[in-house]
Amino acid sequence: MSTDAATARLAFEVVKTACSNCNLRELCLPIGLPPEELRRLDELVSTRRRLKRGDHLYRAGQAFESIYAVRSGFFKTDVLIEDGRDQVTGFQMTGELLGLDGISSEIHTCNAIALEDSEVCAIPFSHLESLSRQIHTLQHHFHKVMSREIVRDHGVMMLLGTMRAEERLAAFLLNLSQRFKARGYSPAEFNLRMSRDEIGSYLGLKLETVSRAFSRFQEDGLLAVHQRKVRILNTAGLRKLMTHQRG
Amino acid sequence: MSTDAATARLAFEVVKTACSNCNLRELCLPIGLPPEELRRLDELVSTRRRLKRGDHLYRAGQAFESIYAVRSGFFKTDVLIEDGRDQVTGFQMTGELLGLDGISSEIHTCNAIALEDSEVCAIPFSHLESLSRQIHTLQHHFHKVMSREIVRDHGVMMLLGTMRAEERLAAFLLNLSQRFKARGYSPAEFNLRMSRDEIGSYLGLKLETVSRAFSRFQEDGLLAVHQRKVRILNTAGLRKLMTHQRG
DNA sequence: TGCCGCGTTTGATCCACGTCAACCCCGGGC
DNA sequence: GCCCGGGGTTGACGTGGATCAAACGCGGCA
């Protein structure tokens, strides 16, 4: 990334947070809102917050007050139980929401950690609720977002419950690919922001198994991997591997 | 809650569908609503629906219009993918909601099937949204319910991703036990409404493995099993097995 | 430039669970 | 009463992925 352009932008960037001039609004919460309602949304997002790679956005056990929209960067969420075991429950990228799990008990139930330098918009939840009482479309959209999270989780349960290692990794890569595509990036070539260990945790596999699956895919000409750089060479092959296989 | 009021209410129960005189309201959606708001909720639940064991409440692919509250009975939800694989994503009992997954795309993404003769209240979703725009507490409660579903799913992901067979079954049984208890039934003795195969599907195991785990628990004096009748003899033992074990 | 450390790869072995198969139990229909 | 069928149990065996262990490569730092 060009550093002087970046610094220049930063220098002039207005600190004021506003949805109405956010270039992510097609991905984020205000999706499809008419302009006048969009303007009312500006009062919603109170603050932005910058995080460096490795920083916690919130931790399990902390009081829940806001949900967060990823403006830039990449996150993981994980839960851990007493005996030391933990599991990555999701990876969040630009335009996706974090913190929905905290609503139920007013306490965050997982950790959210930046996998690269990132920026988020904090959305105080009580504000969101009161505004969504006034704006039907916002309310409905928010419900859809929560529901989509439930559907996504069902997909992961399916993956963990019925798929074998290579199918899981294929499904994971195709999902990432499609999300990068939706954000205007290449669906075929991208950098993984997470380690083999984190992928394994998310997929219910050990890091060695993930590594072996990557090697296998490379041997089979499905993709080219170099460290965290992935290029998908045969999407159809991955997709077939994901669904088919097994009697 | 005044108990004689409760019994009197039961004795005179009218067949009319109404939240305000439903004895489940401490479990269901209107939890904690003040009386006057509870009365307004009555307009919400339009119809009841009876189902026999094996009936579908809804099917994946059908248009989504309502969510459902279980009034009596027992349900499972499952998803299936092209190649024939399927997975049970949850079991729902009295007072729990069904259909939240359909909000995101206006289409149900899973099947809901009665595991015994059951009765549900249908709650047209658009009504719920409009009423929750007027009643803050209803809105907030609904958000909590959705969030709780997400948290529950994370728990299942944890289970599927990190636990071994006997730990999964122990976690499952303890969860059922606690839910029966919350409904005023014995937490120690209950009838399973689902087959070994359905338990296995939910837990990401084969039915033989579930069966063996049951036998093992019985050998170890943790519980007494006869067919679908389960009696928990050593809750602490189950809990220890669930968390501990594995380095 | 060379050293160090962490993330990754790869190989050898082990084991939990899946698979296949036989048998049992119980309930329902005739 | 008998038969039949579906769910459940149990055993023998196979295997996918975990575990253990070694070596590699790259980036950071002196």
Side-chain angles (χ1 to χ4, degrees):
Chain A
M1 58 179 73
S2 81
T3 45
D4 12 22
T7 47
R9 189 165 10 85
L10 275 178
F12 284 90
E13 187 176 44
V14 209
V15 189
K16 180 175 174 302
T17 295
C19 291
S20 55
N21 62 6
C22 174
N23 54 0
L24 288 177
R25 64 174 183 274
E26 295 305 318
L27 283 169
C28 187
L29 208 50
I31 191 171
L33 283 194
E36 66 275 18
E37 293 186 343
L38 202 51
R39 236 167 285 122
R40 301 185 56 198
L41 212 63
D42 289 348
E43 57 194 88
L44 196 56
V45 178
S46 56
T47 51
R48 291 231 195 120
R49 195 166 140 198
R50 289 179 190 281
L51 294 100
K52 313 195 68 162
R53 177 186 154 85
D55 286 352
H56 281 250
L57 174 57
Y58 55 80
R59 298 183 126 91
Q62 284 182 351
F64 164 79
E65 281 165 11
S66 299
I67 60 176
Y68 302 91
V70 181
R71 238 191 96 71
S72 67
F74 208 95
F75 288 81
K76 72 167 178 181
T77 48
D78 64 13
V79 294
L80 37 139
I81 48 180
E82 316 79 80
D83 58 10
R85 277 180 283 190
D86 67 339
Q87 170 138 11
V88 172
T89 53
F91 296 106
Q92 295 79 22
M93 45 202 282
T94 302
E96 296 177 333
L97 295 186
L98 279 155
L100 298 177
D101 59 280
I103 300 169
S104 69
S105 58
E106 321 262 349
I107 287 175
H108 288 291
T109 61
C110 60
N111 302 294
I113 298 151
L115 293 182
E116 60 183 27
D117 294 359
S118 303
E119 198 178 3
V120 299
C121 298
I123 305 171
F125 187 61
S126 56
H127 291 202
L128 177 58
E129 283 194 328
S130 78
L131 197 59
S132 76
R133 263 180 256 120
Q134 299 162 42
I135 308 180
H136 302 18
T137 47
L138 175 64
Q139 178 198 38
H140 192 59
H141 183 64
F142 177 63
H143 290 161
K144 285 191 168 190
V145 168
M146 292 212 86
S147 173
R148 193 180 316 134
E149 180 67 15
I150 291 171
V151 173
R152 189 192 71 84
D153 290 346
H154 288 175
V156 177
M157 286 165 61
M158 186 87 211
L159 179 148
L160 292 171
T162 74
M163 291 187 181
R164 52 189 54 220
E166 294 185 5
E167 299 177 89
R168 295 186 198 186
L169 186 62
F172 173 70
L173 291 171
L174 289 171
N175 175 266
L176 273 188
S177 166
Q178 173 256 311
R179 282 154 77 196
F180 279 121
K181 185 179 178 186
R183 279 155 188 79
Y185 301 113
S186 166
E189 194 165 2
F190 45 85
N191 271 87
L192 299 172
R193 267 67 169 191
M194 69 296 281
S195 69
R196 299 289 189 264
D197 194 33
E198 288 164 332
I199 296 174
S201 174
Y202 182 61
L203 299 179
L205 302 169
K206 291 289 145 180
L207 67 95
E208 293 96 327
T209 306
V210 174
S211 177
R212 275 183 246 272
F214 268 122
S215 302
R216 187 93 210 296
F217 287 175
Q218 182 138 345
E219 280 171 35
D220 296 353
L222 294 172
L223 40 86
V225 201
H226 185 63
Q227 304 286 110
R228 298 193 175 183
K229 185 133 207 144
V230 172
R231 188 151 48 95
I232 297 178
L233 301 174
N234 182 354
T235 310
L238 281 178
R239 191 166 293 123
K240 191 160 135 221
L241 196 157
M242 191 186 88
T243 52
H244 191 52
Q245 192 127 307
R246 174 195 201 89
Chain B
M1 54 180 83
S2 76
T3 44
D4 18 20
T7 47
R9 195 174 358 93
L10 273 178
F12 285 91
E13 187 175 46
V14 221
V15 189
K16 179 177 174 299
T17 294
C19 292
S20 55
N21 61 7
C22 174
N23 54 358
L24 289 178
R25 65 170 184 273
E26 295 305 318
L27 283 169
C28 185
L29 207 50
I31 191 171
L33 283 194
E36 66 276 19
E37 292 186 343
L38 202 52
R39 235 166 287 120
R40 301 185 55 199
L41 211 63
D42 290 349
E43 57 195 87
L44 196 56
V45 176
S46 55
T47 51
R48 291 230 194 120
R49 195 166 138 198
R50 290 179 188 281
L51 295 99
K52 313 196 67 163
R53 179 186 153 83
D55 286 353
H56 280 251
L57 174 57
Y58 55 78
R59 298 184 124 91
Q62 285 181 350
F64 164 79
E65 281 165 11
S66 299
I67 61 176
Y68 302 92
V70 180
R71 239 191 94 72
S72 67
F74 209 95
F75 287 82
K76 70 166 178 182
T77 49
D78 66 12
V79 294
L80 37 138
I81 49 179
E82 317 78 79
D83 58 10
R85 278 181 282 190
D86 68 339
Q87 170 138 10
V88 172
T89 53
F91 298 105
Q92 295 78 22
M93 45 202 281
T94 303
E96 296 178 332
L97 295 186
L98 279 156
L100 298 177
D101 58 278
I103 300 169
S104 70
S105 58
E106 321 262 349
I107 287 174
H108 289 290
T109 61
C110 60
N111 303 293
I113 298 150
L115 294 182
E116 60 184 26
D117 294 359
S118 304
E119 198 179 1
V120 299
C121 298
I123 305 171
F125 187 61
S126 57
H127 291 201
L128 177 59
E129 282 195 329
S130 78
L131 196 58
S132 76
R133 262 180 257 121
Q134 299 162 44
I135 308 180
H136 301 20
T137 46
L138 175 64
Q139 178 198 37
H140 192 58
H141 183 65
F142 177 62
H143 290 161
K144 284 192 169 191
V145 168
M146 292 212 86
S147 174
R148 194 181 315 134
E149 180 68 14
I150 291 171
V151 174
R152 188 192 71 83
D153 290 346
H154 287 176
V156 177
M157 286 165 59
M158 186 88 210
L159 178 149
L160 292 171
T162 74
M163 291 187 181
R164 53 191 52 217
E166 294 185 5
E167 300 176 271
R168 295 185 199 187
L169 186 61
F172 173 70
L173 291 172
L174 288 171
N175 174 265
L176 274 188
S177 166
Q178 173 257 311
R179 282 154 77 195
F180 279 121
K181 184 180 179 186
R183 279 155 188 80
Y185 301 112
S186 167
E189 195 165 2
F190 45 84
N191 272 86
L192 298 171
R193 267 67 170 192
M194 68 296 280
S195 68
R196 300 289 188 265
D197 194 33
E198 287 163 332
I199 296 174
S201 174
Y202 182 62
L203 298 179
L205 300 170
K206 292 290 145 178
L207 67 95
E208 293 95 328
T209 305
V210 174
S211 178
R212 275 184 246 271
F214 268 121
S215 302
R216 188 92 210 296
F217 287 174
Q218 182 138 343
E219 280 171 35
D220 295 353
L222 295 172
L223 39 87
V225 202
H226 184 62
Q227 304 286 110
R228 298 193 177 184
K229 185 135 205 142
V230 172
R231 187 150 48 94
I232 297 179
L233 302 174
N234 183 352
T235 311
L238 280 177
R239 191 167 294 124
K240 193 162 132 219
L241 195 157
M242 190 187 88
T243 54
H244 192 53
Q245 192 127 307
R246 175 196 201 91

